[in-house]
Amino acid sequence: MSERLADIANAMVVRGKGILAADESTPTMKKRLDSINVESTEDNRRDYREMLFRTPAMADHISGVILYDETLRQKAADGTPLVDIIKSQGAIPGIKVDKGAKDLAGAPGEKVTEGLDGLAGRLEEYHGLGARFAKWRAVINIGSSMPSRYCLNGNAHALARYAALCQEANIVPIVEPEVIMDGGHDITRCFEVTEAALNALYAELYEHRVELEGTILKPNMVVSGTENPARAGIDEVAEQTVKCLKRTVPAAVPGIVFLSGGQSDVDATAHLNAMNAGYDMPWALSFSYGRALQAAPLKAWGGQASNAPAGSAAFAHRAQMNGLATLGKWSPELEQDAA
Ligand code: 13P
């Protein structure tokens, strides 16, 4: 495969495919495994992820996989490095490199993402281990007086420093400013905050001399807050999200891959499909889902080796549905057919 940043970025958003976010930190993976009453041991985390990566449908619908440090170094039960299994499926291994969102000093309720110290050295090592793209997630909460300009700018600055370091290491940065869905706000407020976050991000990427052709954006969709009873429907989410992205994301960016952020599996698919079916856009629009790809297989697997085929089938289904949504070819009937 080409080592040019723009070629890697384009391969990550090739038509019909998207990214599997399997980069849960060990504490987050423990929560996921707790939810199915499975102990979070290194072997169980490995077995679950190996089941996903060996799913044959990966080859058709998954362009890249974001890993956590542990998984990038892990071997399958038969001794094959998990990275090699991912590559043999035609997918690109990626790595989460941030150190998590921490309290932002002097700004109660707001967060800033850490992880810049020593990052250049870690990126060099990760490249040696096979990673060709990375992820850094900023967290932006909505409240009556949040986010502050201080929070937006601090997070955008960190994202841009990370992106510049990635490109020096020949790694494509996924820049992820996540506006969190929690709250009673309406879709207009989500639009306003997402627009401000993306404007701050692209201003900083410019200042940090980041080559946009070798980046991928991972944003939230523009949606109603989870506690708002008047929920915007599929078409409105698609319309507002595309409008917001067109205002803020330069056409030089090759692709935009959404996070699912707590949407239901089918909502995440339906929203992506509505955007691709209804709008002309300068960038490829795809997915980089964690929960919306993994909730079903995690439940079907349930920690039992004998359930691995059921877990694989559940993952294959969601990967296929989302692959179709990148082409605007998904429909709700396809969900029922599989049920
Ligand atoms: P969700 O799709 O579960 O939001 O996770 C995507 C992700 O990588 C968040 O950083």
Side-chain angles (χ1 to χ4, degrees):
M1 204 192 84
S2 165
E3 291 285 316
R4 277 188 60 235
L5 289 172
D7 292 341
I8 298 167
N10 278 301
M12 289 163 68
V13 290
V14 68
R15 282 176 61 79
K17 294 190 185 184
I19 293 170
L20 165 64
D23 60 325
E24 300 82 3
S25 64
T26 301
T28 301
M29 199 59 214
K30 180 177 180 326
K31 280 190 225 156
R32 302 276 189 271
L33 292 171
D34 283 349
S35 76
I36 53 164
N37 295 316
V38 172
E39 195 188 344
S40 182
T41 62
E42 200 175 325
D43 278 357
N44 284 340
R45 293 192 292 272
R46 189 273 313 276
D47 289 350
Y48 167 67
R49 286 167 167 150
E50 182 179 347
M51 182 249 328
L52 296 179
F53 305 159
R54 285 197 190 275
T55 298
M58 276 260 305
D60 298 320
H61 310 296
I62 301 295
S63 57
V65 184
I66 318 176
L67 303 169
Y68 187 59
D69 183 280
E70 174 182 277
T71 320
L72 188 69
R73 302 169 193 277
Q74 236 167 3
K75 291 190 168 63
D78 69 0
T80 314
L82 292 181
V83 165
D84 289 353
I85 297 176
I86 291 167
K87 287 194 204 157
S88 71
Q89 296 274 30
I92 306 168
I95 179 77
K96 166 196 172 78
V97 299
D98 68 66
K99 300 265 188 191
K102 306 288 159 61
D103 290 342
L104 178 62
E110 300 199 281
K111 301 280 180 191
V112 69
T113 301
E114 293 187 350
L116 290 169
D117 285 0
L119 181 55
R122 288 195 288 132
L123 288 167
E124 197 183 330
E125 188 195 3
Y126 287 144
H127 191 277
L129 291 168
R132 291 295 176 270
F133 70 91
K135 174 189 120 171
W136 178 289
R137 172 176 176 257
V139 169
I140 294 145
N141 288 316
I142 298 187
S144 51
S145 53
M146 294 191 298
S148 61
R149 183 52 56 188
Y150 165 40
C151 169
L152 291 178
N153 288 348
N155 276 295
H157 188 266
L159 275 162
R161 282 196 58 202
Y162 141 83
L165 287 166
C166 282
Q167 291 195 330
E168 291 220 318
N170 224 11
I171 286 180
V172 169
I174 294 184
V175 288
E176 179 179 2
E178 177 174 359
V179 176
I180 301 291
M181 281 170 66
D182 299 352
H185 55 273
D186 61 13
I187 190 170
T188 308
R189 177 83 175 123
C190 181
F191 184 106
E192 179 182 274
V193 172
T194 305
E195 184 182 26
L198 292 174
N199 277 324
L201 174 62
Y202 283 99
E204 289 289 350
L205 290 173
Y206 173 71
E207 294 295 344
H208 286 73
R209 306 170 186 183
V210 172
E211 189 185 307
L212 295 182
E213 290 82 355
T215 66
I216 296 288
L217 174 67
K218 177 163 173 169
N220 52 285
M221 295 183 193
V222 175
V223 292
S224 314
T226 42
E227 284 107 62
N228 188 326
R231 309 207 52 72
I234 309 272
D235 292 344
E236 191 179 0
V237 168
E239 183 187 346
Q240 294 302 317
T241 303
V242 171
K243 182 175 174 185
C244 188
L245 294 172
K246 281 191 171 173
R247 280 192 184 177
T248 53
V249 185
V253 172
I256 298 176
V257 295
F258 291 104
L259 57 96
S260 57
Q263 301 179 49
S264 75
D265 298 357
V266 173
D267 278 358
T269 305
H271 289 147
L272 178 62
N273 186 70
M275 289 182 233
N276 279 311
Y279 298 88
D280 283 327
M281 292 167 287
W283 352 260
L285 217 58
S286 183
F287 58 91
S288 173
Y289 295 154
R291 284 162 286 179
L293 280 170
Q294 291 192 55
L298 183 71
K299 208 167 153 224
W301 172 69
Q304 302 291 326
S306 57
N307 288 338
S312 259
F315 174 50
H317 176 64
R318 289 264 47 90
Q320 189 198 5
M321 293 297 102
N322 286 304
L324 288 169
T326 69
L327 306 170
K329 291 186 171 163
W330 172 85
S331 70
E333 295 73 46
L334 296 169
E335 299 285 347
Q336 277 135 33
D337 291 351

